[in-house]
């Protein structure tokens, strides 16, 4: 009997992660995306959570105090540091509110006549799944919404490595160009 020995010539952590994945039904049940979708948050400099709120109370959507308070509650849920706010009420209806936080900003734009609002949380601080779920619950509760559709994304991949390389004295790392170089 001939004995064969297999040599592993190449290993990558992604190969290891791919072998240990929950079946799709359990991923959905436990809100656990597959590992290849879970990119390291520290590789990105911006996290963005966008929510569309449907079937909301028209009177709540047109109340600048309610809308402004909602943004502050959302910032508190995400542990973001509030710096200032700006609200504007449109005629005959509608509100736009912005909350500036040291980590970036939050915004809401409302269309009471359509019972609709668009909300954004943009942050350089991680917006975890637990925080996103808490924000969704607060939006639905504060605005009396029937349904929400949310999207989470990360932007600015690789900039942390560029900054780290530059800080470490690597002069060969190019910094991003400005829009108006002379």
């Amino acid at each position: 009997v001939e004995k064969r020995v297999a040599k592993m010539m190449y290993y990558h952590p992604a190969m290891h992660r791919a072998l240990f994945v929950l079946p799709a039904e359990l991923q959905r049940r436990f809100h656990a995306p597959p590992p290849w979708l879970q990119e390291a948050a520290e590789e990105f400099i911006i996290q963005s959570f966008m929510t569309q709120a449907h079937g909301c109370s028209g009177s709540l959507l047109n109340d600048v105090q309610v809308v402004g308070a909602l943004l502050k509650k959302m910032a508190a849920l995400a542990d973001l540091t509030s710096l200032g706010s700006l609200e504007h009420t449109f005629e005959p209806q509608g509100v736009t509110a912005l909350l500036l936080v040291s980590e970036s900003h939050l915004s809401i734009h409302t269309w009471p006549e359509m019972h609709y609002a668009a909300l954004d949380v943009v942050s350089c601080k991680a917006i975890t799944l637990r925080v996103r779920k808490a924000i969704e619950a607060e939006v639905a509760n504060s605005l009396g919404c029937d349904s929400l559709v949310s999207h989470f994304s990360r932007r600015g991949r690789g900039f942390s490595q560029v900054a780290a390389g530059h800080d470490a004295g690597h002069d060969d790392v190019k910094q991003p160009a400005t829009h108006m170089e002379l």
Side-chain angles (χ1 to χ4, degrees):
V1 175
E2 212 176 293
K3 186 177 181 183
R4 292 186 174 205
V5 177
K7 278 187 164 181
M8 183 175 224
M9 298 178 68
Y10 178 78
Y11 174 78
H12 191 275
M15 292 169 53
H16 183 79
R17 284 193 307 265
L19 295 174
F20 301 97
V21 178
L22 287 173
E25 182 179 328
L26 291 176
Q27 288 176 24
R28 285 188 297 275
R29 173 176 272 181
F30 296 115
H31 305 288
W36 55 85
L37 291 180
Q38 298 175 2
E39 301 177 82
E42 54 275 355
E43 291 182 22
F44 299 87
I45 58 173
I46 301 168
Q47 297 199 13
S48 181
F49 183 54
M50 299 164 279
T51 301
Q52 297 183 70
H54 301 273
C56 305
S57 163
S59 61
L60 293 174
L61 289 174
N62 208 39
D63 187 330
V64 71
Q65 299 298 324
V66 169
V67 169
L70 173 59
L71 290 183
K72 289 176 180 148
K73 289 177 192 173
M74 292 166 56
L77 289 169
D79 196 28
L80 303 176
T81 308
S82 178
L83 297 175
S85 63
L86 176 66
E87 297 92 12
H88 180 76
T89 304
F90 294 95
E91 289 298 329
Q93 58 198 359
V95 174
T96 288
L98 305 169
L99 179 65
L100 182 65
V101 294
S102 62
E103 298 82 2
S104 194
H105 68 277
L106 293 86
S107 66
I108 182 170
H109 309 281
T110 72
W111 289 264
E113 70 279 14
M114 301 169 98
H115 302 278
Y116 173 80
L119 302 96
D120 296 297
V121 178
V122 181
S123 174
C124 61
K125 186 176 190 176
I127 306 171
T128 65
L129 179 60
R130 179 171 285 148
V131 168
R132 296 191 305 263
K133 294 294 182 189
I135 287 172
E136 287 177 329
E138 187 60 45
V139 169
N141 183 53
S142 294
L143 300 178
C145 304
D146 291 336
S147 67
L148 301 175
V149 177
S150 298
H151 175 73
F152 175 72
S153 66
R154 295 181 177 123
R155 295 181 278 169
R157 184 179 188 156
F159 282 109
S160 59
Q161 288 87 358
V162 171
H166 187 69
D167 290 342
H170 294 89
D171 293 330
D172 57 334
V173 177
K174 287 191 171 188
Q175 294 299 312
T178 61
H179 290 287
M180 297 185 67
E181 284 188 344
L182 298 175

